[in-house]
Amino acid sequence: MSKFSSSNFKDQKVLIRVDFNVPLNSKFEITDDTRMRAAIPTIKKILNDGGMVILMSHLGRPKGGPEEKYSLRPLIKHLSELLGGVTVLFANDCIGEQAYTTAGMMRPGEVLLLENLRFHPEEEKGDEDFARKLARLADVYVNDAFGTAHRAHASTAVIAKFFPVEKRMFGLLMESEVKSAEKVLHQSQRPFTAIIGGAKVSDKILIIENLLKKATDIIIGGGMAYTFMKAQGGKIGNSLCEEDRLDIARDLLKRAEEQGVCIHLPSDSIIADKFDNNANISTAPSNDIPDGWLGLDIGENARSQFANVIKRSKTILWNGPMGVFEMNNFQLGTKAVAEAVAEATQNGAFSLVGGGDSVAAVNQFGFADKVSYVSTGGGAMLEYFEGKTLPGIAAVSAL
Ligand code: AMP
């Protein structure tokens, strides 16, 4: 059993770093509460043990001081509902007398939500003194914000050292994120296929480099595929291309060959005469796209080419869509990949979908519960697969 699950929090004050950075509309209503829901099991476990929960989070990007539109206050009511009517107290500032007094008067079973951490510029600077002031609020520190684990901020990393080893730990969400990511990167069963898509090669170079050491197959789709096509002498029309990354693309292809990793590029593409759902549409080999046309999705052959590789895989990592899936006419490639990942998963593969747009795609197409794990942390998951140490994980794990 994990440290969190085996702990008893009776009469303990537990400070949890959550990721409540939820979207709000102009009436301050929550338009997507996924991040709040994700933290509920951790909070409930502590309350059920007879503990007290103090929650801290950031919301949006305030410019270094309090701003009404980034207040966490509008979350109180919904949080209480998600917890089945539990009393949720609020402190107008995450540190200072009001926060300390309210925390001091808490009773078991209560929750205190602190105002936005980023109203203090010290949060993002990873300021020690600010972290120490936050730490004063509680007996135990729990980090359950995987989405910010790649940031060395006061509340995500620096604070951990102010708690003894046995009093700092990951929450249930963070535990499952880390466990799933480790399963892919360090305990993968082969064949291990990484599916990398999206717009830009430049964003994905580091992840591809790191995966060359781990994967058996790397599928490259989306806009970034055309830089690879051009690097090999292909004609890509007006498709997305990063001219300054052609050498890197060639180098990655060469290294893959040397290391025996199979890189799969889309054999054909759905092409359009403009970047528009209502454009004229045709198909072409991905390395022979006429001038004036651009590849906006992988083609029919590429769909079955990629699906075949995916279906024989035992470990699958998916980051980035295969085409402009936001437009109806260019979503077949991403859908086909989602279907193949779901089928492989049903046949025993472990599949992890991570990174903003592929997560949005599996949700949109209704495949989220047909893959093994959908990560909540876009940037954090990407950095993890780039092979970087995440400060939020390192700080809690440090002895
Ligand atoms: P990323 O954030 O790098 O994962 O990129 C995701 C974005 O890439 C999505 O908004 C897609 O619409 C876009 N995208 C995928 N394929 C293409 C393509 N062939 N041409 C232009 N944009 C694309």
Side-chain angles (χ1 to χ4, degrees), residues 222-270:
M224 58 186 284
Y226 301 102
T227 301
F228 284 89
M229 286 293 166
K230 186 157 182 188
Q232 291 176 303
K235 212 174 142 250
I236 60 167
N238 294 359
S239 307
L240 219 55
C241 180
E242 286 172 273
E243 296 287 341
D244 56 344
R245 295 295 192 275
L246 291 171
D247 284 342
I248 288 173
R250 263 188 291 270
D251 180 56
L252 287 172
L253 291 169
K254 188 167 148 257
R255 281 161 58 192
E257 200 177 323
E258 285 163 5
Q259 292 176 36
V261 178
C262 205
I263 300 247
H264 305 269
L265 290 162
S267 51
D268 60 347
S269 290
I270 296 183

Side-chain angles (χ1 to χ4, degrees), residues 372-393:
S372 310
Y373 196 76
V374 180
S375 173
T376 57
M381 197 49 102
L382 203 61
E383 289 200 17
Y384 182 88
F385 285 110
E386 287 172 354
K388 291 184 184 148
T389 301
L390 305 190
I393 295 180

Side-chain angles (χ1 to χ4, degrees), residues 24 71 76 106 119 131 146 165 211 213 234 252 265 346 355 368 394:
L24 299 171
S71 173
I76 301 174
M106 285 177 81
F119 286 176
F146 184 73
V165 174
L211 290 170
K213 295 180 232 152
L252 287 172
L265 290 162
Q346 204 176 19

Side-chain angles (χ1 to χ4, degrees), residues 197-201 203-204 221-226 239-240 269-270 275 294-298 319-327 330 334 355-358:
K200 288 186 171 171
V201 180
D203 291 344
K204 311 281 164 93
M224 58 186 284
Y226 301 102
S239 307
L240 219 55
S269 290
I270 296 183
F275 190 84
L294 65 166
L296 293 184
D297 194 8
I298 60 170
N319 174 285
M322 296 292 101
V324 186
F325 75 101
E326 300 94 332
M327 298 184 195
F330 310 109
T334 305
D357 274 323
S358 29

Side-chain angles (χ1 to χ4, degrees), residues 37-299:
R37 285 180 186 277
I40 298 301
T42 299
I43 301 172
K44 277 196 171 160
K45 145 83 177 148
I46 297 165
L47 296 180
N48 289 343
D49 279 358
M52 293 151 268
V53 169
I54 304 174
L55 298 170
M56 56 178 173
S57 177
H58 74 285
L59 177 81
R61 293 175 185 273
K63 292 182 188 70
E67 279 178 70
E68 191 55 36
K69 66 174 172 182
Y70 295 126
S71 173
L72 282 160
R73 194 179 276 281
L75 276 59
I76 301 174
K77 187 164 163 276
H78 190 56
L79 178 60
S80 173
E81 284 164 8
L82 288 175
L83 290 168
V86 162
T87 305
V88 177
L89 309 164
F90 188 75
N92 292 323
D93 189 355
C94 59
I95 53 171
E97 277 323 304
Q98 194 217 353
Y100 297 138
T101 313
T102 315
M105 292 189 325
M106 285 177 81
R107 286 174 310 205
E110 283 182 346
V111 173
L112 166 61
L113 177 64
L114 304 176
E115 184 56 286
N116 197 336
L117 290 160
R118 290 194 188 167
F119 286 176
H120 292 266
E122 294 89 344
E123 160 65 356
E124 288 180 85
K125 288 185 189 141
D127 185 86
E128 291 238 349
D129 195 44
F130 178 65
R132 190 182 293 111
K133 285 178 182 158
L134 288 170
R136 267 182 58 189
L137 287 159
D139 313 301
V140 181
Y141 168 67
V142 169
N143 188 346
D144 214 19
F146 184 73
T148 51
H150 56 317
R151 309 277 184 223
H153 293 171
S155 70
T156 60
V158 183
I159 191 172
K161 64 168 171 256
F162 298 111
F163 292 85
V165 174
E166 68 281 6
K167 301 266 184 194
R168 59 172 191 244
M169 59 196 84
F170 300 134
L172 294 169
L173 171 66
M174 187 87 162
E175 266 176 17
S176 52
E177 293 276 358
V178 173
K179 214 165 102 191
S180 306
E182 280 183 349
K183 202 162 168 177
V184 168
L185 208 54
H186 301 300
Q187 300 142 33
S188 60
Q189 281 189 46
R190 295 159 81 88
F192 169 12
T193 297
I195 309 160
I196 310 290
K200 288 186 171 171
V201 180
S202 44
D203 291 344
K204 311 281 164 93
I205 290 168
L206 295 176
I207 193 171
I208 296 175
E209 271 183 346
N210 196 41
L211 290 170
L212 282 177
K213 295 180 232 152
K214 310 273 179 186
T216 51
D217 298 82
I218 301 180
I219 289 174
I220 296 179
M224 58 186 284
Y226 301 102
T227 301
F228 284 89
M229 286 293 166
K230 186 157 182 188
Q232 291 176 303
K235 212 174 142 250
I236 60 167
N238 294 359
S239 307
L240 219 55
C241 180
E242 286 172 273
E243 296 287 341
D244 56 344
R245 295 295 192 275
L246 291 171
D247 284 342
I248 288 173
R250 263 188 291 270
D251 180 56
L252 287 172
L253 291 169
K254 188 167 148 257
R255 281 161 58 192
E257 200 177 323
E258 285 163 5
Q259 292 176 36
V261 178
C262 205
I263 300 247
H264 305 269
L265 290 162
S267 51
D268 60 347
S269 290
I270 296 183
I271 59 171
D273 61 355
K274 56 182 174 191
F275 190 84
D276 191 327
N277 195 41
N278 299 317
N280 290 310
I281 292 174
S282 184
T283 54
S286 300
N287 60 1
D288 195 13
I289 297 175
D291 290 340
W293 291 74
L294 65 166
L296 293 184
D297 194 8
I298 60 170

